[in-house]
Amino acid sequence: FRNSKFLCSFGVAMATPAGTRRILQRAVERGLLHPGNVRHLGPPGELSCSAIGFGCYRVGGGQHEPGHLACMRSALQAGVNLFDTSTHYSAASQQEKAEGATHGASEALLGRCIAEAAEAGDVARDEVIVCTKVGHVARGSKVPPGSVPVGSHKGEGGEGDDWHCIKPDFVESEVREGSKRLGFAPDFVLLHNPEYLLSHRMMEQVPIADAWDEMYESLVESFQALERLCAEGVIASGYGVSTNFLSCMFSATGRSNIYEALALDRVVEVAEAAARREGSQKHHFRIAQLPLNAFENGAVLGRAAVVPEAAEGDCILAAKLGVAAVTNRPVNSLPLPGVGSGDWGRGQTSHLQLRDTKPMGSLQALFKRVLTEALKNSGVSPDRLEEVPLQQLALRLALSAPSACSLNGARRPAYVADVSAALKAEPFTHDQVRQAMLS
């Protein structure tokens, strides 16, 4: 999975403010992107991104890889210029994953996509923002020191066991290998659900205060490694965390999100401490990634009734802290209690899809009607909502939230078409989003 032949094929091998503005301006001029869907990944004048990014989960490896590559190229042509992947993303079979042969497959395919698009003259490397994530240990590989088990196993050593690690040596090794698979330095590297450490400590019945102290000290050490990689140029622009922050209703394991939750303001303090330990007064922590959809709306509405410390949604808090909020899962929600049965992390794999179906499910039909009426009542013109599929309505809600970008998996042509339609439409106001989510 190494794209070494592409390492020297780019002019500027990183996203730049000028480059990212250039690709989005072309998309606006061609009618592919509403001007309101041009966003900043950080303060104005820094990198610019499309309001929807391509989420590379279940992309790369397996028999459908050619189709995934075609969809990624189509998304680029539709004006999408932010791509988010991870070392453990792939679309391979469970047997292939158990053998560890697919670790990094999504990164490799993304690198190939950008290299081929650049060779064809469709894009330049400096126009595209690439994020990857680290933390999951490849199945079948030697378990690094300091790893914690993911899921129900207790580390007995089964070949299908999943492990997670954020120790500095492992993080550095994964970032360097990921760069080789991509064929260039990633613009951003995020720790992927570091709270699995908390999940394991909870199962061990460690007091919450002790577990949190261990979590944040571990983050300091991990962030120090990421700061060094930024200084070295192995990471082009910065780093961040992809997690279910305190304002999210559910944890990564599907439980009520308290013990396993990270507090964004404290994470930023950790980044400041890590930078100081490395002899710098300025950290490179740039991105906070978290779930957001019409059901799981805590990132916008907060959770004051449950957790007073999370009264303010983390999208709003991120802006105050100078961090870009990037959201995910705009059309896939963990069902609220009493609304649907089965969700990630609770022994089943079902979830609520905010998507039109034929025949239309009763729950989806009701949900669509409630959202549409709420948007009309908040001042959205009815003609802007006429015959809009539920998945496009969900995408437009997510991209219109006070965040930089919403990541959507678009591995099928129909999914790319939904993204394209949402990016062409005028975004809703933040107040309209809030009213719809409150409904």
Side-chain angles (χ1 to χ4, degrees):
F1 294 133
R2 294 193 178 186
N3 280 321
S4 56
K5 68 177 182 178
F6 298 130
L7 280 171
C8 299
S9 63
F10 301 108
V12 179
M14 61 182 291
T16 66
T20 53
R21 285 195 302 269
R22 186 169 61 245
I23 187 175
L24 299 179
Q25 184 58 39
R26 288 201 308 269
V28 170
E29 292 172 353
R30 294 172 181 172
L32 300 172
L33 186 65
H34 189 281
N37 290 327
V38 175
R39 305 293 168 77
H40 298 289
L41 201 64
E46 295 192 7
L47 299 178
S48 301
C49 64
S50 49
I52 297 177
F54 192 111
C56 297
Y57 177 61
R58 296 175 68 184
V59 165
Q63 61 180 333
H64 299 296
E65 187 168 88
H68 297 161
L69 179 60
C71 287
M72 295 164 84
R73 292 290 296 275
S74 295
L76 276 171
Q77 294 166 358
V80 174
N81 82 319
L82 189 149
F83 288 74
D84 175 89
T85 183
S86 176
T87 57
H88 89 297
Y89 283 173
S90 81
S93 67
Q94 289 300 314
Q95 181 178 350
E96 289 172 317
K97 290 179 180 179
E99 295 170 352
T102 61
H103 195 69
S106 179
E107 289 177 315
L109 187 63
L110 176 54
R112 176 184 168 189
C113 169
I114 295 173
E116 291 181 358
E119 288 185 343
D122 295 339
V123 297
R125 170 64 184 96
D126 69 337
E127 297 176 336
V128 184
I129 301 170
V130 174
C131 306
T132 191
K133 301 187 287 292
V134 300
H136 289 271
V137 179
R139 283 184 178 177
S141 65
K142 183 178 179 180
V143 179
S147 299
V148 295
V150 176
S152 58
H153 78 95
K154 299 180 181 179
E156 297 90 346
E159 63 179 15
D161 287 352
D162 291 311
W163 294 86
H164 194 275
C165 184
I166 59 169
K167 290 297 183 181
D169 289 347
F170 177 75
V171 168
E172 179 176 349
S173 174
E174 287 287 276
V175 173
R176 292 187 185 277
E177 289 301 310
S179 179
K180 293 175 183 177
R181 289 187 289 261
L182 286 165
F184 48 78
D187 296 299
F188 298 96
V189 173
L190 281 61
L191 294 184
H192 203 174
N193 293 119
E195 71 273 22
Y196 277 122
L197 173 62
L198 292 173
S199 304
H200 186 55
R201 296 295 179 258
M202 180 173 64
M203 299 304 294
E204 295 178 324
Q205 299 184 332
V206 174
I208 188 171
D210 295 338
W212 280 5
D213 285 345
E214 180 187 3
M215 179 78 259
Y216 290 111
E217 180 55 35
S218 296
L219 284 179
V220 172
E221 296 172 356
S222 301
F223 286 1
Q224 283 184 258
L226 293 169
E227 289 285 351
R228 291 192 294 270
L229 291 167
C230 288
E232 188 180 337
V234 178
I235 302 173
S237 294
Y239 63 92
V241 168
S242 176
T243 185
N244 294 31
F245 285 102
L246 195 58
S247 66
C248 298
M249 288 181 277
F250 300 111
S251 71
T253 61
R255 301 179 177 90
S256 179
N257 197 29
I258 298 177
Y259 190 112
E260 300 162 274
L262 298 184
L264 180 55
D265 51 355
R266 190 168 177 184
V267 171
V268 173
E269 291 174 359
V270 164
E272 293 169 347
R276 287 194 298 270
R277 290 188 186 183
E278 293 300 311
S280 175
Q281 294 302 310
K282 187 175 182 181
H283 63 78
H284 288 83
F285 187 91
R286 297 287 185 271
I287 294 177
Q289 187 182 132
L290 68 167
L292 174 68
N293 52 63
F295 257 119
E296 295 175 274
N297 49 37
V300 170
L301 301 182
R303 297 171 67 205
V306 180
V307 185
E309 296 86 349
E312 188 172 47
D314 279 305
C315 283
I316 291 83
L317 179 59
K320 293 180 179 179
L321 295 171
V323 173
V326 173
T327 63
N328 55 41
R329 290 203 285 104
V331 298
N332 291 305
S333 170
L334 298 185
L336 296 176
V339 174
S341 62
D343 48 311
W344 296 317
R346 296 183 185 176
Q348 300 184 50
T349 57
S350 64
H351 55 280
L352 178 63
Q353 283 201 330
L354 309 180
R355 184 177 298 279
D356 276 4
T357 58
K358 293 183 180 180
M360 188 73 163
S362 57
L363 181 60
Q364 280 83 356
L366 174 63
F367 193 45
K368 181 178 180 179
R369 184 166 70 249
V370 169
L371 282 177
T372 300
E373 290 302 315
L375 287 167
K376 289 178 181 178
N377 292 337
S378 67
V380 178
S381 174
D383 61 356
R384 291 178 57 196
L385 302 172
E386 187 176 356
E387 297 184 0
V388 176
L390 176 57
Q391 67 270 19
Q392 293 181 19
L393 189 61
L395 283 171
R396 288 170 63 181
L397 275 174
L399 73 82
S400 302
S403 62
C405 180
S406 175
L407 300 171
N408 185 57
R411 67 185 187 281
R412 299 176 181 172
Y415 298 171
V416 178
D418 288 330
V419 168
S420 178
L423 286 175
K424 291 176 182 177
E426 180 183 358
F428 304 129
T429 67
H430 292 171
D431 185 63
Q432 289 166 343
V433 170
R434 185 175 182 84
Q435 293 305 311
M437 290 184 172
L438 283 169
S439 71

